[in-house]
Amino acid sequence: MALTTHPPLRLHARPPALAADFHHRCRALPLRGLPSRRARLHPCRCTGADADAEKAQAQARRAYPYNEIEPRWQAHWEERRTFRTPDIGDGLDTSRPKCYILDMFPYPSGAGLHVGHPLGYTATDILSRFKRMQGFNVLHPMGWDAFGLPAEQYAIQTGTHPKITTARNIDRFRTQLKSLGFSYDWDREISTTEPTYYKWTQWIFLQLLKRGLAYQAEVPVNWCPALGTVLANEEVIDGVSERGGYPVVRKPMRQWMLRITSYADRLLEDLDDLDWPESIKEMQRNWIGRSEGAELEFCTVDQEGHDLDAKLTVYTTRPDTIFGATYLVVAPEHVSLPSLTSEGQRVHVGEYTEVAARKSELERTELQKEKTGVFSGSYAKNPVTGEIIPIWVADYVLASYGTGAIMAVPAHDSRDHDFALKYKLPIIKVVSPPNGNCDPEEAYAGDGIMINSSNSSSGLNINGMLSQDAALKVTDWVENNGFGKRKVNYKLRDWLFARQRYWGEPFPLIYLDDTNEMVPLSENELPLTLPELDEFTPTGTGEPPLTKATDWVKTTDLLTGKPATRETSTMPQWAGSCWYYLRFMDPKNSSTLVDKAKESYWGPVDIYVGGAEHSVLHLLYARFWHKVLYDIGVVSTKEPFKCLINQGLILGEVEYTAYRDNEGRWVSADSDSSFIDCHQEKVSADKITKVGDHYVLKDDPEIRLNARAYKMSKSRGNVINPDDVVSEYGADSLRLYEMFMGPLRDSKTWSTGGIEGVHRFLGRTWRLVVGAPLPDGSYKDGTMATDNEPTFEQLRVLHKCIARVSEEIQETRFNTAISAMMEFVNAAYKWDTQPKSVIDSFVLLLAPFAPHLAEELWFRLGHSQSLAYEQFPEAKDEYLKESEVVLPVQINGKTRGTILVDKECSEDDVFQKAASDEKLSKYLNGKGIKKRIYVPGRILNVILDQQKAKT
């Protein structure tokens, strides 16, 4: 990694002042030919000489020559593969500690990165660089989650094959990431669309199949005809697809499922040992939704109470409330609904189920929505009361949860209560709150004392019992009398693992034509690659696009020679992202998913950083697959991700909105008037000012505005392209600003003014070390650092900075680490000399945050190798002890000021210093002193003699 082959740069400073005075402020064009953000906001028509002058003006705005420094060091790192992590057996010293730091790998969209993406990537890069400098073996890779619906939809719209657009998008993402100086090991780069990768995704599926964890079932699914695929519940909003807004209907289809429910208890129990945000763990617990209750059997009867020789099983978590069950409800998809529906109600039930099929499960279970239902025409007998109760159909009950049927207790469940009021069904209160206080107009869902809960015929009496005790007694009774059993249930459903689309992993399966028997491919037939298909639009029939690849679909079973047909559904996008962290450990292995020695050394992932939007599905699915791989001996740990960090969002710049009435007059945002007849108007930041906590018009301060930052989106036009920022301020400025905006886990608002501030800080750092520019605009070689021995005070400032930066990086408080470095630079500017040993250490502190600038300064300080693996400075306690303290001084018990004194200073010396202080002397000089109270290091209180003072 020697740098001696690179000649020193002749870096240019600010050029002379420009003669031309422009009426506008526009920026020079950034990298990759994109107009800068300011150029987009303030368009100009500069040509010829004007363009040259504008280019010079852009150079003048630079606080330091990042545009020359950053490309040089990015090329240096790439040429020397500086951040390559050796393999075991190929130079990796496994006696050293390891740290596997991983970003949730991105989907490479056509839009490229926006400034929100680098937030997490910068955090992991700081940690990776820090750990390398502490002597850790660091694994920090990057890859692409590139299969999925967006690429296929774009391909359909443009006629471009998804393979082409995916490769193009990956190239763009890679270029952007490299331009930000991230220290990824690009030798380990993977894409889920590469056959060498999805060979092992298919292999994992075969292992699931062998263990009975993959199966086919007829299930109701969210079918989107326009997209031609099945959507997950989370991909359907208000009855339309999240992507594109296309109508979605519920229809039964035969699909591949993964039995994730078999791992529900382990997924739940092992959460406790993870260093994850508690909110994320709680979301997973709620998604798994373990509950203990009972399955109860209700005999179906006709209106006169005659037994129909059929039973309806319901699941309840509150068996204690069975005496309050006044009706049953079945889901519109319940398998027994056709037999439960009377002839007189068949048309009404059919119409209702058709409407329900167009709703997503999330819509149907929304607590605030109006409850709807229809009577089935059938009845059931309450087993403990003998009462005949009606059976209704309602979409707030889901076939996928429990048994798809519930006993409705309207006095003690809000949804049942709303339903009963609407359809005038009986409401019987059977639980009294412990304090006796509850709203008689609302359902009481808590525990309490049982009332109205006995029946002599059944012999069951739970009156006066606590709810928990009553539930146990009812469960015992139903088990002893053949009306049910104890049951543990889960909200978690088996994973629907098939999509009717082209751009995904093919299933490694065939079906024999003569018997339709399913036959898995042998492992030596993997990978089963996607066929080249020019026509991949949805068929509109539910048949996947792969059915069009007839030469690929029709095949032969190698074992029997019989003709066969391939599975034409593909795996969901989640498949490739379930195990990618393992492939990074051993990306080139063609004989096994991951080498055991490599997995044993690198696993599990030590720090995993990504958005909270992946808190349930991706993390839950990855944990499920990892546990299966643990069971079959592929991995050595029970969990894949040891520590999880969710970075916050970066919102667009604050938008200011004013209101005008129909006559064009301004209306203040705090007005009592209605805004119905007003129209909104965006106001530019240069026309507003802040007064107190509010924003007002400069020209009319009585008019208050609404100020709000929104999530970045193309539709709002508030997306900030990192290419523009890098062009205007440099990659190090962008990295530093995103970390300085606030705590990593919080949402933050982008501000161009803010990035200008950190850019100036980096410029001050550059000039502190390198010095002022020469008359011709260039900088001299070398630095301003001297060989002088540092003073004790200089070492104290340095080691105080080292201690703070080290601690704040460890705790991911990057914003306060940057503040500590800013304080150091401020202090160093006051020194007469900058000792090289002190400046060396500071540059190493800066390196994880602003690596390009740090590398350039390190080289100028006389070092011949990259600082990437230099030892990170360690603070020494002898310089952290404060020798001076700020001492409050009170006069007659009232604090009048402070003085800086040595900790060991005597009382007389402290008093003399106070008396000579400019602010305090007016209270003491010429005054009689009655008493002095001195607590060393804490306070000096001077009591004046009032009599002498008067004299």
Side-chain angles (χ1 to χ4, degrees):
M1 291 185 288
L3 307 184
T4 50
T5 57
H6 287 257
L9 287 174
R10 278 309 265 192
L11 297 172
H12 291 278
R14 300 169 183 263
L18 300 172
D21 180 22
F22 292 107
H23 69 282
H24 46 57
R25 286 172 60 94
C26 62
R27 297 298 197 215
L29 290 179
L31 301 177
R32 288 173 285 286
L34 296 173
S36 76
R37 181 171 178 276
R38 293 200 177 193
R40 285 186 276 117
L41 292 176
H42 308 280
C44 70
R45 297 171 183 163
C46 297
T47 57
D50 281 354
D52 292 339
E54 172 58 21
K55 184 176 180 181
Q57 189 181 42
Q59 176 72 19
R61 286 191 294 267
R62 296 188 182 112
Y64 69 103
Y66 63 84
N67 58 314
E68 300 174 55
I69 293 171
E70 292 179 355
R72 165 190 165 116
W73 286 102
Q74 288 165 15
H76 171 86
W77 295 328
E78 186 156 0
E79 288 167 9
R80 288 159 177 75
R81 297 158 75 197
T82 301
F83 306 110
R84 174 182 173 271
T85 301
D87 269 330
I88 292 176
D90 187 29
L92 185 72
D93 181 2
T94 56
S95 66
R96 297 166 66 183
K98 67 92 180 180
C99 192
Y100 185 178
I101 301 174
L102 183 63
D103 296 292
M104 292 184 185
F105 68 165
Y107 170 76
S109 69
L113 296 175
H114 62 66
V115 293
H117 290 104
L119 179 64
Y121 303 157
T122 303
T124 57
D125 193 62
I126 291 170
L127 291 169
S128 298
R129 290 175 178 273
F130 176 64
K131 288 294 184 182
R132 286 191 198 99
M133 296 172 77
Q134 285 190 317
F136 284 75
N137 290 328
V138 173
L139 183 60
H140 187 44
M142 176 51 76
W144 318 105
D145 188 13
F147 269 136
L149 193 57
E152 188 163 340
Q153 281 305 111
Y154 182 81
I156 292 170
Q157 292 165 6
T158 62
T160 308
H161 197 282
K163 185 176 183 179
I164 296 172
T165 57
T166 297
R168 185 167 62 219
N169 294 346
I170 287 175
D171 287 344
R172 174 167 167 74
F173 264 67
R174 187 190 304 109
T175 299
Q176 287 183 299
L177 291 177
K178 286 184 176 182
S179 77
L180 294 172
F182 295 136
S183 60
Y184 294 122
D185 179 358
W186 288 106
D187 285 4
R188 294 175 183 264
E189 180 183 5
I190 59 175
S191 169
T192 56
T193 61
E194 293 297 327
T196 53
Y197 179 86
Y198 68 72
K199 166 185 177 178
W200 298 106
T201 308
Q202 293 172 335
W203 181 87
I204 295 172
F205 176 81
L206 292 178
Q207 311 316 306
L208 293 165
L209 190 64
K210 289 177 186 176
R211 297 177 65 82
L213 296 170
Y215 65 97
Q216 286 183 298
E218 190 89 3
V219 294
V221 297
N222 300 312
W223 170 250
C224 180
L227 296 177
T229 192
V230 171
L231 300 178
N233 289 332
E234 298 70 31
E235 298 171 311
V236 181
I237 300 174
D238 296 330
V240 298
S241 62
E242 180 182 30
R243 184 171 293 276
Y246 301 111
V248 175
V249 297
R250 298 280 289 175
K251 63 182 281 188
M253 292 183 69
R254 190 160 183 81
Q255 297 281 17
W256 278 101
M257 310 288 292
L258 297 187
R259 214 179 299 275
I260 190 174
T261 50
S262 296
Y263 282 72
D265 282 328
R266 288 169 62 182
L267 289 168
L268 194 62
E269 292 162 4
D270 292 345
L271 280 171
D272 294 339
D273 298 327
L274 296 177
D275 182 13
W276 288 16
E278 194 56 40
S279 60
I280 301 299
K281 293 198 282 188
E282 192 60 26
M283 289 173 72
Q284 290 221 350
R285 291 186 188 104
N286 292 337
W287 191 266
I288 296 168
R290 186 182 190 277
S291 61
E292 295 182 4
E295 282 187 351
L296 309 178
E297 292 182 348
F298 288 72
C299 295
T300 58
V301 296
D302 60 22
Q303 193 167 2
E304 285 72 37
H306 300 125
D307 199 332
L308 297 179
D309 294 326
K311 293 181 179 179
L312 187 60
T313 303
V314 306
Y315 173 75
T316 178
T317 59
R318 292 294 301 270
D320 55 309
T321 63
I322 190 169
F323 284 93
T326 59
Y327 62 100
L328 303 183
V329 183
V330 297
E333 307 86 4
H334 197 285
V335 292
S336 299
L337 183 56
S339 61
L340 291 172
T341 305
S342 68
E343 287 305 317
Q345 289 294 104
R346 197 165 298 281
V347 172
H348 300 301
V349 171
E351 290 173 348
Y352 183 80
T353 56
E354 185 178 338
V355 172
R358 294 195 287 270
K359 299 179 182 179
S360 72
E361 289 191 358
L362 293 179
E363 285 181 90
R364 287 169 53 177
T365 55
E366 172 58 49
L367 290 176
Q368 304 304 321
K369 84 174 190 71
E370 183 183 1
K371 304 299 180 287
T372 62
V374 63
F375 179 44
S376 70
S378 295
Y379 298 84
K381 183 183 293 186
N382 187 319
V384 301
T385 67
E387 295 287 334
I388 305 302
I389 59 178
I391 302 173
W392 283 71
V393 186
D395 63 7
Y396 74 88
V397 176
L398 303 177
S400 59
Y401 180 67
T403 64
I406 65 163
M407 66 174 198
V409 185
H412 304 291
D413 182 276
S414 59
R415 294 174 302 173
D416 297 345
H417 187 267
D418 293 345
F419 193 90
L421 289 177
K422 180 173 181 178
Y423 294 104
K424 298 180 172 57
L425 297 165
I427 299 174
I428 300 174
K429 183 178 178 181
V430 294
V431 182
S432 177
N435 58 12
N437 296 325
C438 69
D439 187 343
E441 302 300 321
E442 300 290 338
Y444 172 68
D447 291 336
I449 308 298
M450 305 309 300
I451 59 174
N452 301 324
S453 299
S454 68
N455 183 273
S456 56
S457 299
S458 64
L460 182 60
N461 182 357
I462 56 174
N463 278 331
M465 297 181 69
L466 294 175
S467 298
Q468 299 94 325
D469 297 333
L472 294 174
K473 185 171 182 178
V474 171
T475 305
D476 288 339
W477 184 90
V478 297
E479 284 190 326
N480 293 335
N481 289 274
F483 287 108
K485 61 183 179 180
R486 284 176 171 79
K487 179 72 174 178
V488 174
N489 214 341
Y490 301 90
K491 288 182 182 177
L492 180 67
R493 301 292 90 202
D494 280 344
W495 178 7
L496 196 158
F497 194 70
R499 298 289 186 268
Q500 285 63 52
R501 67 181 185 218
Y502 167 68
W503 194 235
E505 299 92 340
F507 282 93
L509 307 163
I510 59 174
Y511 302 90
L512 300 182
D513 289 350
D514 57 353
T515 62
N516 203 36
E517 177 189 355
M518 185 273 294
V519 179
L521 298 185
S522 62
E523 292 178 11
N524 59 16
E525 294 180 78
L526 303 181
L528 172 61
T529 58
L530 272 175
E532 292 292 334
L533 199 59
D534 295 328
E535 175 54 48
F536 36 76
T537 55
T539 61
T541 63
E543 289 291 314
L546 280 178
T547 56
K548 300 175 184 179
T550 52
D551 291 342
W552 180 84
V553 171
K554 293 301 178 182
T555 185
T556 302
D557 177 24
L558 294 183
L559 187 62
T560 64
K562 293 182 178 181
T565 302
R566 297 194 191 279
E567 170 66 66
T568 52
S569 292
T570 52
M571 298 183 196
Q573 184 174 356
W574 304 107
S577 62
C578 277
W579 69 279
Y580 73 106
Y581 58 94
L582 294 172
R583 195 60 178 172
F584 279 136
M585 301 175 187
D586 196 11
K588 304 294 192 297
N589 198 326
S590 60
S591 60
T592 189
L593 185 150
V594 60
D595 177 79
K596 284 186 178 296
K598 295 175 183 178
E599 185 282 326
S600 179
Y601 178 75
W602 286 115
V605 175
D606 294 285
I607 301 172
Y608 195 35
V609 177
E613 65 272 20
H614 303 296
S615 58
V616 175
L617 296 184
H618 160 61
L619 292 172
L620 198 63
Y621 294 158
R623 293 180 62 222
F624 165 47
W625 276 31
H626 191 89
K627 290 181 183 301
V628 175
L629 294 174
Y630 176 78
D631 289 346
I632 63 177
V634 173
V635 297
S636 58
T637 64
K638 293 182 178 180
E639 288 286 338
F641 312 118
K642 186 176 180 181
C643 172
L644 174 69
I645 298 173
N646 296 130
Q647 82 274 16
L649 292 174
I650 292 184
L651 305 175
E653 290 206 62
V654 174
E655 298 178 13
Y656 304 97
T657 306
Y659 299 91
R660 289 186 189 268
D661 62 19
N662 290 333
E663 297 180 7
R665 294 172 300 194
W666 293 114
V667 179
S668 183
D670 62 343
S671 171
D672 294 332
S673 305
S674 170
F675 295 102
I676 295 176
D677 295 327
C678 295
H679 67 270
Q680 296 183 11
E681 184 174 314
K682 283 189 178 180
V683 181
S684 60
D686 61 338
K687 294 181 179 179
I688 63 100
T689 187
K690 191 172 184 181
V691 177
D693 294 331
H694 309 290
Y695 293 91
V696 299
L697 290 174
K698 280 183 180 178
D699 295 339
D700 189 351
E702 296 299 315
I703 301 302
R704 188 180 295 182
L705 289 77
N706 282 335
R708 181 181 169 186
Y710 296 86
K711 185 177 179 179
M712 289 187 187
S713 67
K714 287 191 291 185
S715 61
R716 290 202 70 86
N718 64 347
V719 173
I720 307 294
N721 189 327
D723 295 352
D724 301 339
V725 180
V726 169
S727 176
E728 289 193 39
Y729 300 104
D732 283 344
S733 293
L734 175 59
R735 291 167 59 108
L736 208 67
Y737 175 58
E738 296 214 350
M739 295 298 98
F740 191 57
M741 291 172 77
L744 176 64
R745 295 161 177 81
D746 292 356
S747 292
K748 297 161 280 283
T749 302
W750 179 268
S751 167
T752 301
I755 194 169
E756 289 172 348
V758 296
H759 183 62
R760 287 193 297 271
F761 161 68
L762 291 177
R764 292 192 77 220
T765 303
W766 168 260
R767 293 189 298 277
L768 173 72
V769 180
V770 175
L774 300 172
D776 66 353
S778 66
Y779 289 92
K780 70 171 187 177
D781 296 337
T783 68
M784 301 293 291
T786 68
D787 292 329
N788 295 25
E789 285 295 317
T791 66
F792 184 88
E793 175 61 19
Q794 288 173 330
L795 289 171
R796 191 181 70 82
V797 172
L798 171 66
H799 284 268
K800 185 177 178 181
C801 183
I802 292 171
R804 281 190 62 192
V805 172
S806 300
E807 179 183 351
E808 305 298 42
I809 292 177
Q810 291 279 20
E811 299 299 324
T812 65
R813 296 190 294 259
F814 305 118
N815 55 323
T816 48
I818 295 168
S819 294
M821 290 187 284
M822 289 178 170
E823 291 172 10
F824 174 88
V825 170
N826 289 339
Y829 261 97
K830 299 174 183 177
W831 300 342
D832 294 331
T833 61
Q834 280 78 40
K836 182 177 180 297
S837 60
V838 172
I839 299 301
D840 275 355
S841 295
F842 175 72
V843 169
L844 294 176
L845 293 182
L846 182 66
F849 297 85
H852 307 88
L853 177 59
E855 288 275 23
E856 180 65 25
L857 295 177
W858 187 250
F859 178 67
R860 282 171 164 268
L861 285 163
H863 303 282
S864 61
Q865 294 197 345
S866 167
L867 53 65
Y869 295 91
E870 290 292 326
Q871 183 177 347
F872 199 81
E874 295 183 3
K876 295 182 179 179
D877 291 340
E878 61 195 274
Y879 300 115
L880 299 180
K881 296 174 183 177
E882 294 288 350
S883 59
E884 294 181 322
V885 294
V886 176
L887 191 76
V889 179
Q890 293 183 342
I891 309 296
N892 291 335
K894 187 172 183 179
T895 301
R896 296 296 187 178
T898 60
I899 55 175
L900 187 67
V901 299
D902 290 335
K903 273 189 174 182
E904 308 302 326
C905 199
S906 68
E907 181 179 335
D908 286 340
D909 290 341
V910 168
F911 179 77
Q912 290 303 321
K913 195 158 190 177
S916 61
D917 182 83
E918 182 179 355
K919 183 177 179 181
L920 295 170
S921 60
K922 63 182 179 181
Y923 298 104
L924 297 174
N925 290 345
K927 306 291 174 63
I929 308 300
K930 184 177 182 180
K931 185 179 182 181
R932 296 191 314 216
I933 303 170
Y934 176 55
V935 180
R938 302 288 296 278
I939 196 167
L940 171 66
N941 187 7
V942 180
I943 309 299
L944 300 179
D945 187 328
Q946 300 299 326
Q947 290 298 115
K948 288 186 179 180
K950 289 177 183 178
T951 302

